[in-house]
Amino acid sequence: QVQLVESGGGLVQAGGSLRLSCVAVGMTFSMYNMGWYRQAPGKQRELVAVISSGGTTNYADSVKGRFTISRDNAKNTVYLQMSSLKPEDTAVYYCNARFGLPTFWGQGTQVTVSS
C-alpha cells in the first residue's frame, strides 16, 4: 500500500523558515510526480508546488521566490523548503503523489505563521 508521511510543520514567526518532508512507502518513488498542497481554514485545498518525475518544478504565484520543492529519490523523500513565511501561509500542508490517474495523499502537517 502506498503511504505518504509528512513532517516538519510547526509554529514560526513571520519571516521565518521551515522545511517540510514527505517520505513515500510502497511505491516506485522515482516514477511519480510529487506535489505539496495546502488548505487554510475556510478555504479549498490549493496547489503549492509540484516536481515531476523528470525534475520539472512549478509553483503557485503566491509562493514563487520563497518556496523550493525538491526530491531525493534515494531517500524516497520530497521536500518543501519554505522561507520568508507570511501569516497567509498558515495551513495544513499535504503531500501528494501521482502517476497517471491514481493519486495519493498524506495525512497533512500543520504550519502556523504568527504575525
Side-chain angles (χ1 to χ4, degrees):
Q1 291 240 353
V2 173
Q3 187 171 220
L4 305 175
V5 182
E6 303 99 331
S7 63
L11 174 64
V12 297
Q13 290 187 314
S17 299
L18 283 174
R19 188 175 78 158
L20 306 183
S21 299
C22 172
V23 179
V25 178
M27 59 191 274
T28 305
F29 180 80
S30 62
M31 298 296 296
Y32 280 76
N33 300 315
M34 303 298 299
W36 288 96
Y37 292 71
R38 67 187 181 188
Q39 187 166 24
K43 300 182 67 177
Q44 295 192 1
R45 190 173 299 187
E46 65 175 350
L47 175 69
V48 177
V50 293
I51 182 166
S52 74
S53 60
T56 301
T57 59
N58 202 7
Y59 299 89
D61 288 342
S62 60
V63 307
K64 285 181 180 177
R66 301 188 298 120
F67 291 10
T68 301
I69 188 170
S70 62
R71 64 194 297 162
D72 186 340
N73 289 342
K75 296 182 178 180
N76 278 25
T77 302
V78 62
Y79 304 95
L80 185 67
Q81 178 66 50
M82 306 183 292
S83 61
S84 301
L85 283 162
K86 305 174 180 179
E88 51 261 46
D89 295 318
T90 295
V92 177
Y93 283 71
Y94 297 92
C95 181
N96 170 264
R98 186 182 79 254
F99 181 52
L101 192 57
T103 62
F104 304 94
W105 295 93
Q107 294 298 115
T109 185
Q110 176 71 48
V111 172
T112 303
V113 184
S114 62
S115 59

